[in-house]
Structures are given as structure tokens and as C-alpha cells.
DNA sequence: AATGAATGAGGGTTCATTCAT
DNA sequence: CATGAATGAACCCTCATTCAT
């Protein structure tokens, strides 16, 4: 139910320190992965940019792939933290949906580089670890499923509840599309136009 | 307008042979990239699986990235070749659209591994070369734009022609989604269900 | 004025260690370059003979050419260190010249293999780096120019000061000649005979 | 006594053809060796520049080093052919010497790139083959020895005949010096100045 | 807890040479 | 005689990971 995270073992005991060092390393890794991708980034570079030595890096992780996992998880974390507030609003499911979609797309625009990391590099995770990341992705998708169901219940959305999950995936993917088809879309639309048009198209499916 | 391909220089002069050897190399590379990804596949493995020596491999390409480009191009080629026939049918734009979407999704299902290669590995191409691949992707997307416009003209599709391009991208992405969200979708839907539901959702946007 | 050396970057920080390892590597490389030349010597051989791994070698240099530069520089260093003491003597310029020539030729004989490395391999250095080596060579030549000028001033040498530089080059080259024409000269002369004859010939030019 | 050349075996019988093809290959190789050195020049490049295929190249030689030998020999040949005419003049040994030195230095200037090939690349020849090249070099040196002896005999040159050989080597080396110390000498002297000064210095040794 | 020197397997690429056509 | 495709040993260099200090 809650958010199961993979435990990455550390040689260091002090939990505070672990958190601090991992934040440093994630920040360093994100910018490096954005710049050159996971494979072309070296562990040395990550340690250097994080401000400590390669030896220290390996006190807090066990392999380079651990860093990738921490990065993916942090990105999902940020995505979720940015998305959740919009759901607090007390409105109809339909309005909630529109707000959430808009927010999602704005987040996608804002975090485009990070989103790309997940899309392009997650495959390099060991199969086990990958599951945790995909799980998290599914949970975020489930948020939209919930909003849709709320709308169906309060009558503001007209659709078969069985299709809520698919619809939720569609929404997520249309958001991500702004990131990984940006090379084509940005030639034609501003973010605002993109949001407006997609919301309008989605609404035409639930009336 | 037409389909510009990047010329990959070869030390070998015989064009027939170049084509033959490159086909062998592409087939080998595709299966290896599927199995272990571009970065973890070695040029030696590609040569061995293709049935010739590493020296021979380099008679037909200049770098490992050339192999990746050839692979991406071949995948797009196959995708296009599988998609085009469905457009020959003499029907309304709307029916043509439905046929094309169905075919696209079936192709995505059939070529899922290859599609994943493009999505996950194309980023490793040199910027110059990447353009060729994205261009090709855009051209395939344009096919759906054409079908939509045909439907608008013959009155079978009701939508603002200005939105045809976006809609075409949406369709492509919903097809690709069957590939890269398969881990979530396949738990809930068969391909057939997926096709039916998505077509029905898309049709609700153009009536 | 002073002796500008090219800074070869190292991944290792400890300056002491850098010096120590580079000395090991230079000693190994010199003997290998003598034995088989720069091109036929592999970096692995250098590392092995130096007593460490190939990975360690590359912690202290950036490319095989860096080793060649270090070798050339060390050879020039030794040459200079062997030559300088003879100039401390308090005598006339003429006597000083004779002493220096004798010493130079003795050094050439002693360091023949190393001198050959510079002559035959320096061309493999990148243009930038080659300049440092040639510069050093010119500085050593300038030593003889100074001695000649001292002799002109104190009246013990009779020559146009304008020709001191050319004369200095001649002396250097006659010294090197003992190295790279050894195959012919050693058949006819001992080192001592060679020195005597050449000094006598040179003196006949400055009286 | 005469000029023993190394026989390089060829698979082809027709002597005319052998000579023609080898001339082509030498011309190609010389320009490539000048441009990039022996080691960085590939046999493919030599064949291509010579105007035939790599297969054909190996019909006329047995190894890349054979090409280097042919090149060295051709250079010596040209050097000799340019030098000999000056000896035909009917004058005193002293005048003959001056003429020969001048001619030698002019040739060195003219053929500087080729001379460099011999100096820097000959060491890559197999020991056996190297002997032929050094032999040739000694023969050319002997020319000057002859001129000196003629001068001693006709009284125009005053020196101990035992030193003629050394003197001849000195002259050769001072000529080569114009080539391999050009980076320093050309800053100070024109060829003409260099010739004048060196001749004057040499003459001061034989009066 | 932090450091950073050491390791060495492994990767991409080159190129002299061969030999079937 | 000429061609040029095929070979594979060998080269330079990288980098994730370890471990003594």
C-alpha cells in the first residue's frame, strides 16, 4: 500500500549522514546523467561533483546502479511531491482531473530532463531494482485513476469505471510525450497550447 | 520530403555485398541489443553472431554507433513496410484511420523489442545521426496526420484540421505505450482489448 | 630563460608518489624504447617493467606519448646534469671549451642509447610537446655558445662572435655524430681518439 | 666495391613491370612517409596513392618494411645522382671539395624531407636490411674522403690523410645538420649563409 | 568515517597480410 | 597479373570496484 523502497545497504551507520551524503550524490548524479547519460558518467565524476572521494561514494552504495536507483527514486519522489498538492482542492472529480492533468503536464515540462533519465536509463537497472521503479510509476498513475473514479462517483465524469486505469495510463503517457516528443511538439505548440488541447481532447472522452 | 538516409561509409566497394553483410549485422545486433542493450553488447559479439570476424565488421561500418543507426533505420523501415499496405484500402478516412490504428498497434505488439531499442538506445547516437532517426519517426507520424486529413475532407472525421498533427502524435504514442508500459498494461488487457478500447476512445474525440 | 617543462596531468595527488612512479616508468620505458623503439613498445610492457599495472600507469600519464615526453625530458635532464659541473672550473674560455667538448663527447658515448631515443622517436611527439624537447636541446646548445663567448671575451678564442651559435651547433652535432654514426666511426676510432681528433679540428677553427 | 642492393623478391616475373610498379610505390610512399611517418602510414594508403590495389602492392614486395627499404634506397640513389656530376669538374682537390660541399648542402636543403625519412625511419628496418642502407651512406661519405685525398695528393689540401675519413663524416653530418637542426638554424641563417660559413670553417681546418 | 592509489578485465578499433576469384 | 574482401592478433585506454591507511 505504502511506498516500498528498495533498501540500499551502506557501510556507514549514522542515518543522518547517509541521507545527507545520498542527497549530495543524487544531485550530482542527476546533473551528470542529464548531461551525458548514465553509461558515460563515471563513478569518479559523481563522487567529485558530490564533493567527496570515490572511496566515500562506495561507503554509501554498493554499485553504480545503486546510484541510478536512488536517482530514479528521487525523481519520482519530486514528481509526486509536486503533484499531490493539487489533489487537496475540494472540487468535483472533473475539475480535480483537469487541475491534475494541467499540473502533471507542467511538472513534465519543468522536470523534462529528469523524466528523460527514467525513460532512457531505467533499463540499465538490475531486473529486481527495476521493479521498484516501475511500481512507483504505477502508483503515480493510480493517482489519476483515483481522480477519475472520484469523478465517476460524483457524476462529474461519464465513463465506465473499468476504463479508468487505461485512461490514467493514457494521461500519464500524454504528459511524458511532451518530454520525449518535444523535438517535434515544441515546433508547433507552446506548453500552454499543448495543455489546453490535450485537456480538451481528454474531456471529449469523458462526457 | 522523401526519406533521407544517412550514408554510412564502407571500405568495401561491392554494393550487393554491403547490403548483404549489413543485413547480417543488423539481424545480429537487433537480437543482442534486445537481450543486453546497446552498451553491454560488444562489437565482437555482433560480428560473431553475424557470422564474420571483427575485422570484417569494421569493413562495413566506421563505429559501433553506425551499427545502432543501421538498426534504428531498419526497424523504422520494417515498421513502415508493415504499416503502409493498410492505407491502400479504398475507404472513408474514418475507416482508414481505424484500420491504421489497429495495424499500428498490432505492429507495436509484434515489434515490441525493436521499438524498445529505438526508445532506449537512440539517445546514444551522435546528435547528427539522431536527427535522421527522429526525422523518420516524424514521417511515420505524418502518415496518421494524412489519414486524419483525408477523413476531415471526406466528412467522415469531425475535427479541426489544425489538431490533426497533435492527434497523430497521440496515436503513435498510444501505440508505443503498449510497448513501454507493457509491464502494467498486459496485466489488465489483451492486445485485442487494448486496441478496441483505445480506438473507441480515439473515435470519441473525432465525432 | 629558465627551463619550462610541460606539465603532464596525473590523477594522483601525492606529488612524491607521482615523482617516484614516473621515475619507475621512465626507467622502464627507456630500456624498452632502446630495445624495440617507441612504436613497438606497448603500454602494458612499460607498466609491467615499471612494476605496476596498466591501470596504474594511466593514473600518472594521459597517453603513451606522455611517456615519450617524460623520457625525452629525463634524458635531457641527465645530459645537462652531467655537463654542467665541467663549467664550474675557473679557467680560460678556451680551456673551458676543450673540457666541455670532451665531457659532451664522453656523455654522448655513455648515453648513446638515450640520445638515439631522442633522435629517432621525438618526432612521434605531438607538435606542441615536441617544441618543449627542441627548446631544451637548444638550451643545451646555448651552453656551448656561452663558453665560446667567454673565450672570445677573455681573448683565448679567436672568432667572430656572430658565429658562436653556429659553432655551438656544430659541436653538439659532432657529439651526436658519435652516437648515430657509431656504426662507421667505431670501426676506426676509439672514443679517446675521436675526442682528440675532433677537439684538435675544432681548435684549428678558433685560433 | 660496387653498390650491393638488397634483392626484394617479387611474385611478378616481368622486370620492366617490377621497376615501374616499384617506382609508383616509392613515390607514393615517400610523400606519405614525409606527411605522417612510416608507422602511421598504412599499406593501403601506399597502394591507393600508387594507383593500384593492396593485393597488387604485395605482388611486388613481401612486407611493409620492404617499402621502407626501397624508399631509403631510392633516396640515396637520388642523393648520389645529384652529387656525382660536381666531381667531374677538372680542378684542384680543394676547389673540388668546396664545390662538393656546396652541392651536398644544396641537396640536403632540396631533399630535406627525404633525408629526414632516412634519419628517423631507417631504424624500423630489420637489422639485415639496415646494413644495406648504412653501407650506402658510408659509400656516399667515401666520396668526400676521395676528394680530400685528391686534394692532399695535389697539394691543395693540407691535412693528415689518416683524418680524411673523419673529415668526410664531419662534412656529411654538417650537411645533414641543416636538415635536422633546421628548426634552430633557419631562424638565423639562409642556406647561402650557412653554406658560406661552414665552408669557411672547414677550410680553416685544412690549410 | 574518509581517502585515494591500485587493479585488470574488457572495450572499441586498426591494419599488415592472405588468398580465392 | 590484378583485385579486394576477409582475417584476427594486438593496441591503447577506461573505469567500476577494492582496501590499506
Amino acid at each position: 500500500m505504502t511506498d516500498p523502497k528498495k533498501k540500499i545497504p551502506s557501510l556507514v551507520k549514522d542515518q543522518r549522514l547517509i541521507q545527507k551524503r545520498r542527497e549530495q550524490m543524487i544531485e550530482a548524479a542527476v546533473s551528470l546523467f542529464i548531461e551525458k547519460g548514465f553509461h558515460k558518467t563515471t563513478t569518479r565524476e559523481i563522487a567529485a561533483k558530490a564533493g567527496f572521494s570515490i572511496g566515500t561514494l562506495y561507503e554509501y552504495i554498493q554499485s553504480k546502479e545503486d546510484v541510478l536507483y536512488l536517482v530514479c527514486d528521487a525523481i519520482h519522489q519530486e514528481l509526486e511531491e509536486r503533484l499531490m498538492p493539487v489533489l487537496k482542492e475540494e472540487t468535483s472529480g472533473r475539475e480535480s482531473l483537469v487541475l491534475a492533468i494541467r499540473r502533471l503536464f507542467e511538472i513534465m515540462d519543468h522536470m523534462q530532463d529528469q523524466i528523460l533519465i527514467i525513460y532512457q536509463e531505467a533499463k540499465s537497472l538490475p531486473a529486481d531494482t527495476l521493479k521498484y521503479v516501475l511500481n512507483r510509476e504505477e502508483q503515480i498513475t493510480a493517482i489519476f485513476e483515483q481522480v477519475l473514479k472520484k469523478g465517476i462517483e460524483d457524476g462529474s465524469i461519464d465513463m465506465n469505471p473499468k476504463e479508468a486505469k487505461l485512461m490514467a495510463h493514457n494521461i500519464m503517457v500524454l504528459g511524458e510525450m511532451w518530454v520525449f516528443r518535444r523535438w517535434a511538439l515544441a515546433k508547433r505548440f507552446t506548453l500552454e497550447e499543448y495543455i489546453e488541447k490535450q485537456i480538451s481532447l481528454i474531456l471529449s472522452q469523458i462526457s
Side-chain angles (χ1 to χ4, degrees), chain A:
Chain A
M1 177 122 303
T2 52
D3 203 44
K5 297 203 180 194
K6 184 175 163 59
K7 280 253 168 75
I8 306 293
S10 166
L11 293 177
V12 174
K13 313 286 176 203
D14 181 343
Q15 285 302 320
R16 278 261 169 66
L17 202 46
I18 293 181
Q19 174 148 17
K20 181 180 156 202
R21 292 278 182 258
R22 286 188 176 169
E23 276 167 15
Q24 293 174 284
M25 116 181 31
I26 288 165
E27 194 186 337
V30 165
S31 71
L32 287 164
F33 291 173
I34 286 172
E35 191 192 332
K36 32 203 322 198
F38 173 70
H39 277 103
K40 294 201 173 161
T41 298
T42 68
T43 51
R44 263 173 153 106
E45 286 171 319
I46 296 170
K49 193 150 199 165
F52 38 72
S53 73
I54 181 68
T56 300
L57 182 72
Y58 274 87
E59 297 272 310
Y60 295 93
I61 50 150
Q62 309 218 89
S63 74
K64 192 185 174 191
E65 277 129 10
D66 284 350
V67 180
L68 180 54
Y69 170 69
L70 290 175
V71 160
C72 288
D73 192 57
I75 292 170
H76 273 146
Q77 181 95 12
E78 185 182 345
L79 173 51
E80 243 181 275
E81 279 166 9
R82 288 176 181 275
L83 186 58
M84 299 313 286
V86 89
L87 303 175
K88 305 281 173 173
E89 312 273 336
E90 298 282 343
T91 54
S92 71
R94 186 191 186 89
E95 277 177 42
S96 200
L97 179 70
V98 170
L99 283 174
I101 294 175
R102 168 174 290 277
R103 173 59 62 92
L104 175 69
F105 286 18
E106 285 166 352
I107 295 169
M108 289 290 168
D109 185 67
H110 186 75
M111 297 179 65
Q112 47 179 295
D113 292 330
Q114 287 99 314
I115 300 299
L116 265 185
I117 291 177
I118 293 190
Y119 256 78
Q120 296 179 333
E121 314 291 7
K123 65 156 204 302
S124 297
L125 290 169
D128 276 3
T129 315
L130 180 56
K131 273 189 198 152
Y132 286 86
V133 175
L134 298 182
N135 235 317
R136 190 100 194 235
E137 182 93 16
E138 205 162 5
Q139 271 171 44
I140 296 171
T141 306
I143 294 172
F144 286 90
E145 198 181 344
Q146 291 315 309
V147 176
L148 284 164
K149 286 195 170 149
K150 177 176 151 208
I152 294 170
E153 270 166 36
D154 70 18
S156 63
I157 289 177
D158 174 25
M159 80 179 301
N160 186 332
K162 286 187 173 173
E163 300 192 342
K165 186 174 285 294
L166 179 62
M167 194 71 172
H169 276 287
N170 284 1
I171 290 167
M172 281 295 287
V173 163
L174 293 176
E176 289 162 348
M177 166 175 151
W178 178 249
V179 171
F180 57 71
R181 294 220 150 202
R182 163 169 286 264
W183 45 271
L185 298 172
K187 287 192 290 193
R188 307 279 171 166
F189 313 105
T190 64
L191 170 63
E192 192 50 40
E193 287 164 0
Y194 183 75
I195 293 176
E196 289 298 337
K197 282 178 199 290
Q198 291 289 25
I199 287 182
S200 139
L201 280 170
I202 291 168
L203 289 182
S204 73
Q205 294 176 326
I206 57 172
S207 308

